[in-house]
């Protein structure tokens, strides 16, 4: 599951409350074997429709063009809140799953597309490279397809491969400890849900 509360809740406190409700709803589903990724929210770019716009070289270049339009400048704070909520959730997940029987809540991972996407002022739905009837001349938030957000899939795929490798390493640790301690795995992090490689 890839989830995000979206860019259209402009009030920061309402956006953060929506993130809290999202994590609570995920827990209530009780789907412990799911891989849950919370995706960060990426702001739009001011003046994306200008000819010759290209990707930014670094974060400082993006920051100098940051805008208060639609509260886009607050997205980084909403993402920080999502990271804190996810970390708190995972601390509870880790502690609860050490109890017997394990609690019915999945581990939640962050799919952080913010750093790579804020550099892409080009490729928006209203940019010059849109080039089709679907172009929106006032949209500097959404991207054309294909475009920069195609790289989100690459990031997600790489993240899933990393999770699968972590699972293999944890299983090997558990087997070693069980052998050394006569079948117990005291003190080890709980095994994550099965992720097929």
């Amino acid at each position: 599951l890839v989830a995000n509360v979206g860019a259209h809740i402009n009030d920061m406190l309402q956006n953060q409350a929506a993130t809290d409700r999202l994590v609570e709803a995920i827990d209530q589903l009780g789907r412990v074997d799911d891989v849950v990724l919370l995706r960060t929210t990426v702001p739009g770019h001011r003046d994306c429709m200008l000819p010759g716009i290209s990707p930014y070289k670094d974060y400082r270049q993006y920051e100098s063009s940051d805008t208060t339009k639609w509260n886009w400048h607050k997205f980084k704070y909403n993402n920080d809140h999502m990271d804190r909520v996810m970390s708190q959730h995972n601390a509870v997940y880790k502690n609860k799953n050490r109890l017997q029987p394990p609690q019915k809540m999945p581990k939640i991972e962050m799919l952080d597309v913010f750093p790579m996407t804020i550099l892409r002022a080009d490729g928006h739905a209203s940019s010059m490279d849109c080039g089709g009837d679907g172009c929106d001349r006032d949209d500097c938030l959404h991207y054309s397809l294909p475009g920069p957000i195609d790289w989100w899939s690459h990031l997600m795929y790489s993240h899933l491969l990393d999770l699968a490798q972590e699972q293999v390493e944890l299983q090997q640790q558990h087997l070693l400890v069980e052998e050394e301690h006569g079948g117990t795995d005291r003190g080890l992090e709980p095994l994550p849900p099965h992720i097929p490689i």
Side-chain angles (χ1 to χ4, degrees):
L1 170 69
V2 178
N4 175 272
V5 297
H8 300 291
I9 303 174
N10 292 324
D11 180 83
M12 194 163 78
L13 293 177
Q14 289 179 2
N15 187 291
Q16 292 176 358
T19 297
D20 297 343
R21 289 191 306 273
L22 174 62
V23 171
E24 288 170 13
I26 290 168
D27 284 346
Q28 289 173 359
L29 292 173
R31 297 178 55 101
V32 296
D33 292 330
D34 286 356
V35 176
V36 179
L37 302 172
L38 290 185
R39 182 184 56 78
T40 51
T41 304
V42 181
H45 295 85
R46 182 178 61 209
D47 301 327
C48 74
M49 74 294 290
L50 297 177
I53 197 156
S54 60
Y56 295 136
K57 292 182 175 94
D58 55 33
Y59 184 78
R60 281 179 286 176
Q61 190 179 7
Y62 158 75
E63 204 168 33
S64 69
S65 71
D66 202 0
T67 178
T68 58
K69 182 178 183 178
W70 304 112
N71 285 330
W72 288 346
H73 65 295
K74 294 183 179 177
F75 285 13
K76 58 187 162 215
Y77 305 115
N78 294 336
N79 291 334
D80 288 344
H81 176 77
M82 182 171 42
D83 187 43
R84 281 190 304 276
V85 168
M86 184 199 68
S87 295
Q88 291 167 356
H89 169 276
N90 286 339
V92 171
Y93 162 86
K94 188 174 181 179
N95 289 331
K96 281 190 174 183
N97 280 313
R98 285 192 174 160
L99 303 173
Q100 294 298 327
Q103 300 298 308
K104 299 289 184 187
M105 60 189 298
K107 184 175 181 187
I108 298 177
E109 299 278 337
M110 178 78 76
L111 184 64
D112 193 1
V113 300
F114 183 88
M116 66 186 213
T117 312
I118 58 167
L119 301 178
R120 296 301 304 269
D122 62 316
H124 282 284
S126 62
S127 64
M128 297 303 284
D129 57 338
C130 176
D133 293 334
C135 294
D136 183 340
R137 294 296 164 206
D138 264 342
D139 191 347
C140 285
L141 175 64
H142 301 98
Y143 284 95
S144 301
L145 293 175
I149 63 172
D150 291 322
W151 289 99
W152 297 0
S153 299
H154 294 282
L155 181 65
M156 182 179 73
Y157 180 73
S158 295
H159 193 84
L160 292 174
L161 288 177
D162 289 345
L163 290 175
Q165 183 59 39
E166 286 174 18
Q167 182 183 25
V168 167
E169 290 168 6
L170 277 174
Q171 286 173 339
Q172 290 170 346
Q173 286 178 353
H174 278 263
L175 289 174
L176 286 174
V177 169
E178 284 179 2
E179 287 176 10
E180 291 174 8
H181 296 284
T184 62
D185 62 355
R186 285 181 232 119
L188 283 181
E189 187 174 322
L191 285 175
H194 175 70
I195 302 169
I197 299 177

